PDB file of all heavy atoms in Angstrom:
ATOM      1  N   ASN A   1       0.816  -1.223   0.000  1.00 94.00           N
ATOM      2  CA  ASN A   1       0.000   0.000   0.000  1.00 94.00           C
ATOM      3  C   ASN A   1       0.846   1.268   0.000  1.00 94.00           C
ATOM      4  O   ASN A   1       0.311   2.369  -0.070  1.00 94.00           O
ATOM      5  CB  ASN A   1      -0.951   0.021   1.202  1.00 94.00           C
ATOM      6  CG  ASN A   1      -2.170  -0.853   0.976  1.00 94.00           C
ATOM      7  OD1 ASN A   1      -2.564  -1.106  -0.168  1.00 94.00           O
ATOM      8  ND2 ASN A   1      -2.779  -1.321   2.044  1.00 94.00           N
ATOM      9  N   THR A   2       2.168   1.114   0.093  1.00 92.00           N
ATOM     10  CA  THR A   2       3.055   2.265  -0.024  1.00 92.00           C
ATOM     11  C   THR A   2       3.561   2.368  -1.458  1.00 92.00           C
ATOM     12  O   THR A   2       3.749   1.343  -2.134  1.00 92.00           O
ATOM     13  CB  THR A   2       4.269   2.143   0.933  1.00 92.00           C
ATOM     14  OG1 THR A   2       5.062   1.011   0.548  1.00 92.00           O
ATOM     15  CG2 THR A   2       3.810   1.990   2.372  1.00 92.00           C
ATOM     16  N   VAL A   3       3.778   3.581  -1.921  1.00 91.00           N
ATOM     17  CA  VAL A   3       4.344   3.778  -3.257  1.00 91.00           C
ATOM     18  C   VAL A   3       5.717   3.119  -3.336  1.00 91.00           C
ATOM     19  O   VAL A   3       6.064   2.486  -4.339  1.00 91.00           O
ATOM     20  CB  VAL A   3       4.447   5.281  -3.592  1.00 91.00           C
ATOM     21  CG1 VAL A   3       5.201   5.498  -4.898  1.00 91.00           C
ATOM     22  CG2 VAL A   3       3.060   5.899  -3.682  1.00 91.00           C
ATOM     23  N   ARG A   4       6.475   3.254  -2.257  1.00 93.00           N
ATOM     24  CA  ARG A   4       7.818   2.672  -2.231  1.00 93.00           C
ATOM     25  C   ARG A   4       7.765   1.156  -2.402  1.00 93.00           C
ATOM     26  O   ARG A   4       8.530   0.570  -3.181  1.00 93.00           O
ATOM     27  CB  ARG A   4       8.498   3.036  -0.912  1.00 93.00           C
ATOM     28  CG  ARG A   4       9.924   2.497  -0.787  1.00 93.00           C
ATOM     29  CD  ARG A   4      10.455   2.779   0.612  1.00 93.00           C
ATOM     30  NE  ARG A   4      11.795   2.231   0.806  1.00 93.00           N
ATOM     31  CZ  ARG A   4      12.368   2.124   1.987  1.00 93.00           C
ATOM     32  NH1 ARG A   4      11.728   2.537   3.077  1.00 93.00           N
ATOM     33  NH2 ARG A   4      13.585   1.608   2.100  1.00 93.00           N
ATOM     34  N   GLY A   5       6.867   0.495  -1.656  1.00 94.00           N
ATOM     35  CA  GLY A   5       6.770  -0.949  -1.741  1.00 94.00           C
ATOM     36  C   GLY A   5       6.368  -1.417  -3.129  1.00 94.00           C
ATOM     37  O   GLY A   5       6.963  -2.339  -3.696  1.00 94.00           O
ATOM     38  N   THR A   6       5.347  -0.765  -3.700  1.00 94.00           N
ATOM     39  CA  THR A   6       4.904  -1.114  -5.058  1.00 94.00           C
ATOM     40  C   THR A   6       6.021  -0.902  -6.064  1.00 94.00           C
ATOM     41  O   THR A   6       6.274  -1.739  -6.933  1.00 94.00           O
ATOM     42  CB  THR A   6       3.682  -0.261  -5.444  1.00 94.00           C
ATOM     43  OG1 THR A   6       2.608  -0.539  -4.540  1.00 94.00           O
ATOM     44  CG2 THR A   6       3.226  -0.575  -6.862  1.00 94.00           C
ATOM     45  N   ASP A   7       6.725   0.219  -5.938  1.00 95.00           N
ATOM     46  CA  ASP A   7       7.798   0.536  -6.875  1.00 95.00           C
ATOM     47  C   ASP A   7       8.912  -0.515  -6.827  1.00 95.00           C
ATOM     48  O   ASP A   7       9.443  -0.914  -7.864  1.00 95.00           O
ATOM     49  CB  ASP A   7       8.370   1.916  -6.564  1.00 95.00           C
ATOM     50  CG  ASP A   7       9.573   2.258  -7.441  1.00 95.00           C
ATOM     51  OD1 ASP A   7       9.385   2.419  -8.659  1.00 95.00           O
ATOM     52  OD2 ASP A   7      10.695   2.342  -6.915  1.00 95.00           O
ATOM     53  N   LYS A   8       9.246  -0.978  -5.634  1.00 96.00           N
ATOM     54  CA  LYS A   8      10.356  -1.930  -5.524  1.00 96.00           C
ATOM     55  C   LYS A   8       9.991  -3.299  -6.074  1.00 96.00           C
ATOM     56  O   LYS A   8      10.851  -4.006  -6.621  1.00 96.00           O
ATOM     57  CB  LYS A   8      10.835  -2.042  -4.074  1.00 96.00           C
ATOM     58  CG  LYS A   8      11.310  -0.730  -3.473  1.00 96.00           C
ATOM     59  CD  LYS A   8      12.095   0.126  -4.463  1.00 96.00           C
ATOM     60  CE  LYS A   8      12.357   1.523  -3.948  1.00 96.00           C
ATOM     61  NZ  LYS A   8      12.854   2.434  -5.017  1.00 96.00           N
ATOM     62  N   VAL A   9       8.730  -3.694  -5.943  1.00 96.00           N
ATOM     63  CA  VAL A   9       8.287  -4.946  -6.558  1.00 96.00           C
ATOM     64  C   VAL A   9       8.360  -4.828  -8.080  1.00 96.00           C
ATOM     65  O   VAL A   9       8.836  -5.740  -8.771  1.00 96.00           O
ATOM     66  CB  VAL A   9       6.852  -5.296  -6.115  1.00 96.00           C
ATOM     67  CG1 VAL A   9       6.310  -6.479  -6.924  1.00 96.00           C
ATOM     68  CG2 VAL A   9       6.823  -5.628  -4.625  1.00 96.00           C
ATOM     69  N   LEU A  10       7.915  -3.686  -8.606  1.00 96.00           N
ATOM     70  CA  LEU A  10       7.996  -3.466 -10.048  1.00 96.00           C
ATOM     71  C   LEU A  10       9.450  -3.372 -10.510  1.00 96.00           C
ATOM     72  O   LEU A  10       9.794  -3.816 -11.611  1.00 96.00           O
ATOM     73  CB  LEU A  10       7.239  -2.187 -10.419  1.00 96.00           C
ATOM     74  CG  LEU A  10       5.721  -2.237 -10.192  1.00 96.00           C
ATOM     75  CD1 LEU A  10       5.098  -0.882 -10.489  1.00 96.00           C
ATOM     76  CD2 LEU A  10       5.071  -3.316 -11.046  1.00 96.00           C
ATOM     77  N   MET A  11      10.297  -2.803  -9.669  1.00 97.00           N
ATOM     78  CA  MET A  11      11.725  -2.735  -9.986  1.00 97.00           C
ATOM     79  C   MET A  11      12.308  -4.141 -10.123  1.00 97.00           C
ATOM     80  O   MET A  11      13.104  -4.419 -11.029  1.00 97.00           O
ATOM     81  CB  MET A  11      12.450  -1.959  -8.877  1.00 97.00           C
ATOM     82  CG  MET A  11      13.955  -1.858  -9.051  1.00 97.00           C
ATOM     83  SD  MET A  11      14.705  -1.047  -7.607  1.00 97.00           S
ATOM     84  CE  MET A  11      16.447  -1.181  -8.009  1.00 97.00           C
ATOM     85  N   PHE A  12      11.900  -5.019  -9.226  1.00 97.00           N
ATOM     86  CA  PHE A  12      12.347  -6.412  -9.287  1.00 97.00           C
ATOM     87  C   PHE A  12      11.954  -7.038 -10.629  1.00 97.00           C
ATOM     88  O   PHE A  12      12.774  -7.687 -11.295  1.00 97.00           O
ATOM     89  CB  PHE A  12      11.716  -7.188  -8.127  1.00 97.00           C
ATOM     90  CG  PHE A  12      12.045  -8.657  -8.112  1.00 97.00           C
ATOM     91  CD1 PHE A  12      13.153  -9.126  -7.437  1.00 97.00           C
ATOM     92  CD2 PHE A  12      11.229  -9.570  -8.775  1.00 97.00           C
ATOM     93  CE1 PHE A  12      13.458 -10.478  -7.418  1.00 97.00           C
ATOM     94  CE2 PHE A  12      11.528 -10.926  -8.775  1.00 97.00           C
ATOM     95  CZ  PHE A  12      12.641 -11.380  -8.088  1.00 97.00           C
ATOM     96  N   ILE A  13      10.703  -6.837 -11.030  1.00 97.00           N
ATOM     97  CA  ILE A  13      10.219  -7.396 -12.301  1.00 97.00           C
ATOM     98  C   ILE A  13      10.990  -6.787 -13.475  1.00 97.00           C
ATOM     99  O   ILE A  13      11.421  -7.501 -14.397  1.00 97.00           O
ATOM    100  CB  ILE A  13       8.715  -7.131 -12.459  1.00 97.00           C
ATOM    101  CG1 ILE A  13       7.928  -7.878 -11.374  1.00 97.00           C
ATOM    102  CG2 ILE A  13       8.224  -7.539 -13.855  1.00 97.00           C
ATOM    103  CD1 ILE A  13       6.463  -7.503 -11.306  1.00 97.00           C
ATOM    104  N   GLN A  14      11.174  -5.466 -13.448  1.00 97.00           N
ATOM    105  CA  GLN A  14      11.826  -4.763 -14.550  1.00 97.00           C
ATOM    106  C   GLN A  14      13.242  -5.282 -14.798  1.00 97.00           C
ATOM    107  O   GLN A  14      13.612  -5.577 -15.941  1.00 97.00           O
ATOM    108  CB  GLN A  14      11.871  -3.263 -14.249  1.00 97.00           C
ATOM    109  CG  GLN A  14      12.612  -2.439 -15.303  1.00 97.00           C
ATOM    110  CD  GLN A  14      12.791  -0.990 -14.870  1.00 97.00           C
ATOM    111  OE1 GLN A  14      12.226  -0.553 -13.866  1.00 97.00           O
ATOM    112  NE2 GLN A  14      13.579  -0.250 -15.620  1.00 97.00           N
ATOM    113  N   TYR A  15      14.034  -5.401 -13.731  1.00 97.00           N
ATOM    114  CA  TYR A  15      15.439  -5.764 -13.916  1.00 97.00           C
ATOM    115  C   TYR A  15      15.655  -7.265 -14.073  1.00 97.00           C
ATOM    116  O   TYR A  15      16.481  -7.698 -14.877  1.00 97.00           O
ATOM    117  CB  TYR A  15      16.281  -5.211 -12.773  1.00 97.00           C
ATOM    118  CG  TYR A  15      16.482  -3.715 -12.880  1.00 97.00           C
ATOM    119  CD1 TYR A  15      15.887  -2.840 -11.989  1.00 97.00           C
ATOM    120  CD2 TYR A  15      17.254  -3.179 -13.912  1.00 97.00           C
ATOM    121  CE1 TYR A  15      16.067  -1.467 -12.099  1.00 97.00           C
ATOM    122  CE2 TYR A  15      17.435  -1.812 -14.025  1.00 97.00           C
ATOM    123  CZ  TYR A  15      16.836  -0.969 -13.128  1.00 97.00           C
ATOM    124  OH  TYR A  15      17.003   0.388 -13.247  1.00 97.00           O
ATOM    125  N   TRP A  16      14.923  -8.066 -13.323  1.00 97.00           N
ATOM    126  CA  TRP A  16      15.110  -9.507 -13.456  1.00 97.00           C
ATOM    127  C   TRP A  16      14.572 -10.023 -14.779  1.00 97.00           C
ATOM    128  O   TRP A  16      14.983 -11.089 -15.246  1.00 97.00           O
ATOM    129  CB  TRP A  16      14.476 -10.231 -12.277  1.00 97.00           C
ATOM    130  CG  TRP A  16      15.343 -10.132 -11.059  1.00 97.00           C
ATOM    131  CD1 TRP A  16      15.278  -9.169 -10.086  1.00 97.00           C
ATOM    132  CD2 TRP A  16      16.427 -10.986 -10.694  1.00 97.00           C
ATOM    133  NE1 TRP A  16      16.257  -9.370  -9.141  1.00 97.00           N
ATOM    134  CE2 TRP A  16      16.972 -10.478  -9.481  1.00 97.00           C
ATOM    135  CE3 TRP A  16      16.996 -12.130 -11.255  1.00 97.00           C
ATOM    136  CZ2 TRP A  16      18.059 -11.078  -8.848  1.00 97.00           C
ATOM    137  CZ3 TRP A  16      18.072 -12.725 -10.615  1.00 97.00           C
ATOM    138  CH2 TRP A  16      18.587 -12.205  -9.428  1.00 97.00           C
ATOM    139  N   SER A  17      13.664  -9.267 -15.409  1.00 97.00           N
ATOM    140  CA  SER A  17      13.190  -9.666 -16.737  1.00 97.00           C
ATOM    141  C   SER A  17      14.332  -9.616 -17.759  1.00 97.00           C
ATOM    142  O   SER A  17      14.351 -10.393 -18.719  1.00 97.00           O
ATOM    143  CB  SER A  17      12.035  -8.760 -17.193  1.00 97.00           C
ATOM    144  OG  SER A  17      12.484  -7.435 -17.419  1.00 97.00           O
ATOM    145  N   LYS A  18      15.295  -8.734 -17.551  1.00 96.00           N
ATOM    146  CA  LYS A  18      16.448  -8.653 -18.458  1.00 96.00           C
ATOM    147  C   LYS A  18      17.308  -9.918 -18.360  1.00 96.00           C
ATOM    148  O   LYS A  18      17.836 -10.407 -19.363  1.00 96.00           O
ATOM    149  CB  LYS A  18      17.284  -7.409 -18.141  1.00 96.00           C
ATOM    150  CG  LYS A  18      16.569  -6.092 -18.431  1.00 96.00           C
ATOM    151  CD  LYS A  18      17.452  -4.909 -18.119  1.00 96.00           C
ATOM    152  CE  LYS A  18      16.731  -3.598 -18.409  1.00 96.00           C
ATOM    153  NZ  LYS A  18      16.453  -3.426 -19.854  1.00 96.00           N
ATOM    154  N   ILE A  19      17.437 -10.431 -17.149  1.00 96.00           N
ATOM    155  CA  ILE A  19      18.178 -11.680 -16.970  1.00 96.00           C
ATOM    156  C   ILE A  19      17.407 -12.837 -17.599  1.00 96.00           C
ATOM    157  O   ILE A  19      17.995 -13.715 -18.248  1.00 96.00           O
ATOM    158  CB  ILE A  19      18.432 -11.929 -15.473  1.00 96.00           C
ATOM    159  CG1 ILE A  19      19.267 -10.786 -14.884  1.00 96.00           C
ATOM    160  CG2 ILE A  19      19.125 -13.280 -15.249  1.00 96.00           C
ATOM    161  CD1 ILE A  19      19.449 -10.863 -13.377  1.00 96.00           C
ATOM    162  N   LEU A  20      16.081 -12.829 -17.419  1.00 95.00           N
ATOM    163  CA  LEU A  20      15.253 -13.875 -18.011  1.00 95.00           C
ATOM    164  C   LEU A  20      15.343 -13.850 -19.534  1.00 95.00           C
ATOM    165  O   LEU A  20      15.440 -14.907 -20.179  1.00 95.00           O
ATOM    166  CB  LEU A  20      13.800 -13.703 -17.554  1.00 95.00           C
ATOM    167  CG  LEU A  20      12.792 -14.737 -18.068  1.00 95.00           C
ATOM    168  CD1 LEU A  20      13.217 -16.148 -17.679  1.00 95.00           C
ATOM    169  CD2 LEU A  20      11.398 -14.432 -17.522  1.00 95.00           C
ATOM    170  N   VAL A  21      15.332 -12.646 -20.108  1.00 95.00           N
ATOM    171  CA  VAL A  21      15.471 -12.520 -21.565  1.00 95.00           C
ATOM    172  C   VAL A  21      16.809 -13.101 -22.019  1.00 95.00           C
ATOM    173  O   VAL A  21      16.882 -13.830 -23.014  1.00 95.00           O
ATOM    174  CB  VAL A  21      15.351 -11.036 -21.985  1.00 95.00           C
ATOM    175  CG1 VAL A  21      15.865 -10.826 -23.414  1.00 95.00           C
ATOM    176  CG2 VAL A  21      13.902 -10.578 -21.885  1.00 95.00           C
ATOM    177  N   PHE A  22      17.854 -12.791 -21.291  1.00 94.00           N
ATOM    178  CA  PHE A  22      19.186 -13.313 -21.625  1.00 94.00           C
ATOM    179  C   PHE A  22      19.199 -14.849 -21.610  1.00 94.00           C
ATOM    180  O   PHE A  22      19.734 -15.494 -22.517  1.00 94.00           O
ATOM    181  CB  PHE A  22      20.208 -12.760 -20.631  1.00 94.00           C
ATOM    182  CG  PHE A  22      21.593 -13.313 -20.795  1.00 94.00           C
ATOM    183  CD1 PHE A  22      22.431 -12.857 -21.815  1.00 94.00           C
ATOM    184  CD2 PHE A  22      22.076 -14.300 -19.940  1.00 94.00           C
ATOM    185  CE1 PHE A  22      23.720 -13.371 -21.971  1.00 94.00           C
ATOM    186  CE2 PHE A  22      23.362 -14.818 -20.086  1.00 94.00           C
ATOM    187  CZ  PHE A  22      24.179 -14.349 -21.105  1.00 94.00           C
ATOM    188  N   LEU A  23      18.584 -15.441 -20.591  1.00 93.00           N
ATOM    189  CA  LEU A  23      18.551 -16.900 -20.477  1.00 93.00           C
ATOM    190  C   LEU A  23      17.695 -17.529 -21.571  1.00 93.00           C
ATOM    191  O   LEU A  23      18.056 -18.577 -22.127  1.00 93.00           O
ATOM    192  CB  LEU A  23      18.027 -17.303 -19.092  1.00 93.00           C
ATOM    193  CG  LEU A  23      18.906 -16.914 -17.897  1.00 93.00           C
ATOM    194  CD1 LEU A  23      18.224 -17.260 -16.588  1.00 93.00           C
ATOM    195  CD2 LEU A  23      20.271 -17.600 -17.986  1.00 93.00           C
ATOM    196  N   LEU A  24      16.579 -16.898 -21.890  1.00 92.00           N
ATOM    197  CA  LEU A  24      15.706 -17.424 -22.949  1.00 92.00           C
ATOM    198  C   LEU A  24      16.397 -17.371 -24.304  1.00 92.00           C
ATOM    199  O   LEU A  24      16.241 -18.274 -25.134  1.00 92.00           O
ATOM    200  CB  LEU A  24      14.397 -16.629 -23.000  1.00 92.00           C
ATOM    201  CG  LEU A  24      13.415 -16.858 -21.839  1.00 92.00           C
ATOM    202  CD1 LEU A  24      12.252 -15.878 -21.930  1.00 92.00           C
ATOM    203  CD2 LEU A  24      12.893 -18.292 -21.831  1.00 92.00           C
ATOM    204  N   GLN A  25      17.156 -16.322 -24.542  1.00 90.00           N
ATOM    205  CA  GLN A  25      17.865 -16.198 -25.815  1.00 90.00           C
ATOM    206  C   GLN A  25      18.936 -17.271 -25.967  1.00 90.00           C
ATOM    207  O   GLN A  25      19.197 -17.751 -27.062  1.00 90.00           O
ATOM    208  CB  GLN A  25      18.495 -14.806 -25.923  1.00 90.00           C
ATOM    209  CG  GLN A  25      17.491 -13.694 -26.169  1.00 90.00           C
ATOM    210  CD  GLN A  25      18.115 -12.321 -26.099  1.00 90.00           C
ATOM    211  OE1 GLN A  25      19.136 -12.120 -25.449  1.00 90.00           O
ATOM    212  NE2 GLN A  25      17.478 -11.357 -26.762  1.00 90.00           N
TER     213      GLN A  25
END
């Protein structure tokens, strides 16, 4: 319910998706 908490979860998705893309490639 905090902007900070929501932002950090989205940050996790944003950056770890780059690693996932690398592995999928």
Side-chain angles (χ1 to χ4, degrees):
N1 281 335
T2 64
V3 173
R4 181 186 177 193
T6 298
D7 175 67
K8 301 321 170 192
V9 171
L10 294 176
M11 178 185 176
F12 177 90
I13 295 171
Q14 176 188 351
Y15 286 111
W16 282 92
S17 67
K18 294 181 180 294
I19 299 174
L20 181 57
V21 164
F22 175 78
L23 295 175
L24 288 173
Q25 287 173 335

